[in-house]
Amino acid sequence: MRLLHTSDWHLGRSFHRVNMLGAQAEFIGHLVDAVRAHAVDAVVVSGDVYDRAVPPLAAVELFDDALHRLADLGVPTVMISGNHDSARRLGVGAGLIDRAGIHLRTEPSAAGTPVVLSDAHGEVAFYGLPYLEPALVKDEFGVTKAGHEAVLAAAMDRVRADLAARPSGTRSVVLAHAFVTGGQASDSERDITVGGVAAVPAGVFDGVDYVALGHLHGCQTLTERVRYSGSPLAYSFSEADHRKSMWLVDLAADGAVTAERLDCPVPRPLARIRGTLDDLLADPRLDGHEDAWVEATLTDAIRPADPMARIAARFPHTLSLVFDPERAPDDPAVSYARRLAGRDDQQIAEDFVAHVRGAGPDPREAAVLRDAFDAVRADDTVREVAR
C-alpha cells in the first residue's frame, strides 16, 4: 500500500506580515496532484490542520476545498487533530464525512478503533491518535500521572490490543501528534511541555509497521518506521534551512517500509543574514538573498538611522529586523530579553526566586512551580477549545 504522509498545514497562519493563504492553497493543489501522479492509495494527515482553535473563515473554506478535492480522487484520507486544532470543531460531521472516504479522528477514546483499508495483500489498520493533552485525557486512559509518555503509552496499549485481535498479517499505521525524543524542534511550534518534559521515547510506538508523526516542522527520520513529515511551508526563520516535503511511503506485504521525499512548492526562499548595516548593504556574497524573505540581525554597537528603509533598499522582502550589538555578556547594556534568551518559564521563575532570596528553590518548591505552569497551560488549552 502506498501512503502519502503530511502534517502541520496550519491553515490560516501568516508568516510575519505575509498572508500565507495563497501558498497554502498552492500546497493543497500540489498534494492533490501528487496523489494522482504517484498512484497513492491513502493520505495521512498527522494534525495541526488549522493554526488555531477558531480559524478564520478563509482557512475553513480552504479546508473544505481540500476535503472535496481529496474525496473526488476516491483515495481514502485519514486525518487527526493536533495541539493547534480544536478537536471538537475539526471532528464535526466526522461520521458523515467518513462516507466520502475522509476519516477524521479527533476523539481520544477511539484510539484503539482503526480505519481499516485493504489492498491486494490484505488489510491495513490505521490508528488515529489525536494530540493527547495529558491533563485532559488522563482519566480516559486511566493514568495517575498526567504526562505525555503515560497517556501515549496507554493509547498505544489500546492499539496493540486491537491489532492482536486482528487476523495474522494485518499491517498497521499509527498517526500521532507529539514531540518524540530525537526530533529537532524549530521556533514555530507551540510548547507542549508538561512537568518539565515534552518528549516521549520512540519506543512507545513499538509493535506497528509505520508511525506518521506530526508536530515538529522539520521533515525527520527517527527510525525507518517512525518519521515526521514536517510542515509543508516554513512558519519561522528557524526553518530557513528546511527542505519542505512529504513522505511517499510504500508498505510492503510483510510490513517492510520504504520511503522517499516529495518536495513541496516554495513560495519564496528564506534567508537569515547578520552583520553591521554597512556590511550587509555592501557584501556581494549576499546577492543571492535579494529576492528572499529576509531576517536581518544588525550587530552595530549603536543603532543606525532608518535601518529598515536602508536594508529594504537592497533586500525588499525583509520581514524581520533584529538588533544584537556585539557586546561582552557582562556589559550592563546587554538587554533583558537577551539575558532570557533560550530559557523556559520554569528556569526564569527559579532564577527569580534565587534573585529575591539569595538561593534557588528546593526540589519541593521547584515541583510546585512546575505544577503551576502546567495548570496554567492546561487551562489555556481548555479555554481555547471552549471558545
Side-chain angles (χ1 to χ4, degrees):
M1 182 171 287
R2 174 164 283 186
L3 317 175
L4 188 61
H5 168 199
T6 178
S7 72
D8 295 273
W9 295 356
H10 288 278
L11 300 182
R13 186 166 187 161
S14 60
F15 182 71
H16 291 263
R17 301 182 302 276
V18 179
N19 186 322
M20 297 294 284
L21 204 66
Q24 291 168 341
E26 183 180 0
F27 161 70
I28 296 298
H30 171 74
L31 170 69
V32 171
D33 290 344
V35 170
R36 186 183 297 111
H38 295 278
V40 169
D41 298 306
V43 177
V44 295
V45 185
S46 299
D48 281 354
V49 174
Y50 291 122
D51 188 55
R52 55 182 184 267
V54 185
L57 179 59
V60 177
E61 291 172 341
L62 180 56
F63 179 58
D64 180 64
D65 178 63
L67 293 183
H68 279 86
R69 295 175 73 177
L70 288 168
D72 287 345
L73 291 174
V75 175
T77 298
V78 185
M79 186 178 296
I80 63 172
S81 50
N83 61 302
H84 280 250
D85 298 308
S86 165
R88 293 181 65 183
R89 284 187 173 85
L90 188 65
V92 168
L96 290 173
I97 297 173
D98 259 4
R99 302 177 189 177
I102 307 292
H103 308 284
L104 299 175
R105 292 296 180 262
T106 64
E107 290 292 335
S109 59
T113 305
V115 175
V116 180
L117 305 177
S118 300
D119 65 6
H121 304 292
E123 293 185 339
V124 181
F126 290 77
Y127 297 90
L129 277 55
Y131 172 67
L132 303 175
E133 174 61 44
L136 304 183
V137 303
K138 64 183 181 68
D139 292 338
E140 166 64 34
F141 291 106
V143 300
T144 56
K145 185 176 180 181
H148 288 289
E149 183 174 356
V151 296
L152 266 174
M156 283 302 301
D157 284 344
R158 294 188 185 183
V159 168
R160 283 184 283 264
D162 180 85
L163 191 57
R166 295 188 175 276
S168 177
T170 300
R171 291 159 290 165
S172 53
V173 175
V174 165
L175 289 73
H177 196 88
F179 188 171
V180 179
T181 303
Q184 297 297 312
S186 59
D187 293 343
S188 54
E189 298 122 6
R190 182 180 294 169
D191 180 30
I192 59 171
T193 300
V194 172
V197 178
V200 300
V204 164
F205 300 104
D206 286 351
V208 297
D209 293 310
Y210 184 69
V211 181
L213 293 174
H215 179 57
L216 299 184
H217 289 182
C219 183
Q220 302 170 57
T221 300
L222 303 186
T223 73
E224 286 304 304
R225 297 184 182 275
V226 182
R227 300 170 187 263
Y228 283 100
S229 67
S231 61
L233 296 165
Y235 292 113
S236 72
F237 277 102
S238 66
E239 300 166 58
D241 294 330
H242 285 191
R243 172 188 164 196
K244 296 301 184 181
S245 57
M246 304 176 286
W247 283 113
L248 186 66
V249 178
D250 285 312
L251 193 60
D254 62 356
V257 170
T258 56
E260 66 172 295
R261 292 173 70 176
L262 301 182
D263 290 332
C264 295
V266 178
R268 191 179 295 278
L270 308 185
R272 299 178 108 171
I273 59 177
R274 180 185 179 89
T276 66
L277 179 57
D278 288 342
D279 287 346
L280 295 182
L281 295 178
D283 191 343
R285 294 172 298 178
L286 302 180
D287 288 350
H289 299 322
E290 291 178 356
D291 195 43
W293 280 323
V294 167
E295 178 187 73
T297 299
L298 302 185
T299 60
D300 302 76
I302 299 175
R303 184 173 301 209
D306 299 323
M308 179 57 91
R310 293 169 65 190
I311 201 77
R314 181 178 184 188
F315 305 101
H317 304 287
T318 300
L319 299 181
S320 175
L321 192 60
V322 180
F323 295 95
D324 188 19
E326 292 183 345
R327 296 189 175 106
D330 58 353
D331 189 318
V334 172
S335 71
Y336 180 68
R338 184 172 174 182
R339 294 199 301 272
L340 296 184
R343 305 184 68 76
D344 61 27
D345 292 339
Q346 179 82 16
Q347 292 170 319
I348 294 169
E350 291 183 8
D351 287 349
F352 176 75
V353 172
H355 173 74
V356 169
R357 74 179 186 193
D362 61 31
R364 181 187 63 82
E365 292 168 332
V368 169
L369 285 171
R370 187 177 300 114
D371 289 346
F373 283 121
D374 289 347
V376 169
R377 190 182 53 77
D379 185 63
D380 286 345
T381 300
V382 173
R383 289 174 182 273
E384 184 171 2
V385 171
R387 285 171 58 195

